[in-house]
Amino acid sequence: MPLNTVALEFVPPNTDRSADEVLEEAHKVARFSAETGLAGRIGHVMIPGMIAEDDDRPVEMKPKLDVLDYWNRIAPELPGIKGLCTQVTAFMDQPSLRDRLTELLAADMEGIVFVGVPRTMSDGEGSGVAPTDALALYRDLVPNRGAILIPTREGESGRFEFKCNQGATYGMTQLLYSDSIVDFLTEFARSTDHRPEILLSFGFVPKVETRIGLINWLIQDPGNAAVAKEQEFVKNLAGLEPAERQQLLVDLYKRVLDGVADLGFPLSIHFEATYGFSRPAVDTLAAMLDYWSPSPA
């Protein structure tokens, strides 16, 4: 059954944060949601399993709370909201991974996206289970099995079709800063019979991006002209006044939803505030959902 949800991404905080600081994002989202009319419209939080990547990451990667630990701490602060997560599979053997997935499901994680090695490594590296193998191995254990979808990546259509063949029930896109997903899903619908749910990922761009460049780093794909255009869009957004920035993000949201709504894919929305949730970020999400919002499952 499709999730039909709005999911907010909550990145696990650093392990050195106090108990109050660990709950800070949950409290902010609860407060801003009440102020903007979003209370009751957020169905899930999505917690990524964080692993160390390139040394050139603009914000230093410090030790993070485990996904389960963080979820167990914030869940009581977000009544009625359920969990989604990503799980790195490439460094765990089959028994260990099965135990981990069982723990996640027992904690009411309703969907798990299987992810592999960081981009500093090649596909297939890692001593554990490849994400595409995990999709098949744990069909009977994990009802909602997710895969990452990057519509601007070369060869992504064949890659995503293989993930669907292996058992993916949904795809979570990389942050969308163009409407490239429209052409991707249009062609995918034409060439295959697979209709997995698509979690369309949108991200707020605050002014601080101009100075730090974390979003630019996250979406990078050197030599990819389509991504270069997305990076330019992000750079432009960061330099605008808040009202202009919100309007451009909402316009992008409208173009994407208008383009994919009738292709036959169940749709959900995944929203990320890369630098932390703020009132402008939640205002932007509220404006997006005023245009289109998933129907609750």
Side-chain angles (χ1 to χ4, degrees):
M1 178 180 293
L3 296 164
N4 293 123
T5 194
V6 177
L8 302 186
E9 180 155 325
F10 277 40
V11 174
N14 297 341
T15 55
D16 60 1
R17 296 296 175 89
S18 69
D20 286 343
E21 288 172 327
V22 166
L23 299 178
E24 186 176 345
E25 286 294 280
H27 289 162
K28 284 196 297 183
V29 165
R31 183 172 74 254
F32 294 147
S33 294
E35 293 171 357
T36 58
L38 285 183
R41 300 180 70 184
I42 308 300
H44 292 80
V45 297
M46 203 299 291
I47 306 177
M50 305 292 286
I51 53 176
E53 293 196 66
D54 312 25
D55 292 337
D56 66 343
R57 192 178 194 271
V59 177
E60 181 185 357
M61 176 71 81
K62 297 182 178 181
K64 301 284 186 183
L65 283 183
D66 178 70
V67 167
L68 263 176
D69 186 10
Y70 187 41
W71 170 238
N72 287 332
R73 295 199 204 187
I74 64 172
E77 311 298 317
L78 299 167
I81 294 179
K82 300 174 183 178
L84 305 172
C85 68
T86 68
Q87 173 62 50
V88 178
T89 67
F91 306 109
M92 302 180 77
D93 60 28
Q94 288 189 31
S96 298
L97 183 55
R98 178 172 287 275
D99 289 345
R100 171 67 171 181
L101 298 174
T102 300
E103 287 183 315
L104 291 169
L105 293 167
D108 292 328
M109 282 290 176
E110 286 203 326
I112 303 172
V113 173
F114 299 128
V115 298
V117 296
R119 56 188 169 199
T120 49
M121 301 172 67
S122 300
D123 286 346
E125 289 191 70
S127 58
V129 181
T132 49
D133 292 338
L135 289 167
L137 284 168
Y138 304 108
R139 280 179 185 244
D140 295 336
L141 177 65
V142 182
N144 297 308
R145 301 171 300 281
I148 297 296
L149 169 57
I150 305 177
T152 54
R153 184 165 56 177
E154 184 178 355
E156 188 71 353
S157 183
R159 187 181 288 108
F160 190 56
E161 182 175 8
F162 180 65
K163 291 175 180 178
C164 292
N165 288 336
Q166 289 291 96
T169 62
Y170 69 97
M172 185 173 72
T173 72
Q174 187 184 47
L175 283 170
L176 302 175
Y177 290 110
S178 73
D179 55 9
S180 60
I181 188 67
V182 175
D183 288 342
F184 179 91
L185 288 179
T186 299
E187 179 56 34
F188 193 78
R190 184 182 299 121
S191 61
T192 79
D193 292 328
H194 291 296
R195 296 297 183 270
E197 184 169 12
I198 305 295
L199 272 66
L200 297 166
S201 301
F202 296 90
F204 183 69
V205 180
K207 188 173 183 178
V208 70
E209 170 68 14
T210 301
R211 179 170 54 86
I212 297 178
L214 180 57
I215 298 171
N216 178 80
W217 183 86
L218 288 169
I219 65 175
Q220 67 177 307
D221 187 7
N224 188 325
V227 173
K229 289 181 181 178
E230 293 188 337
Q231 290 176 308
E232 186 62 29
F233 179 65
V234 168
K235 180 180 178 181
N236 179 54
L237 281 175
L240 296 176
E241 293 301 312
E244 295 177 280
R245 187 186 309 139
Q246 176 174 307
Q247 187 60 58
L248 286 177
L249 284 169
V250 172
D251 287 347
L252 170 62
Y253 182 85
K254 290 179 177 179
R255 291 198 308 274
V256 169
L257 269 300
D258 288 349
V260 303
D262 296 325
L263 295 177
F265 298 94
L267 299 174
S268 284
I269 301 301
H270 168 232
F271 189 80
E272 179 178 334
T274 306
Y275 295 92
F277 283 98
S278 62
R279 177 59 190 266
V282 177
D283 282 341
T284 298
L285 175 60
M288 290 175 169
L289 297 181
D290 282 344
Y291 183 74
W292 184 88
S293 182
S295 300

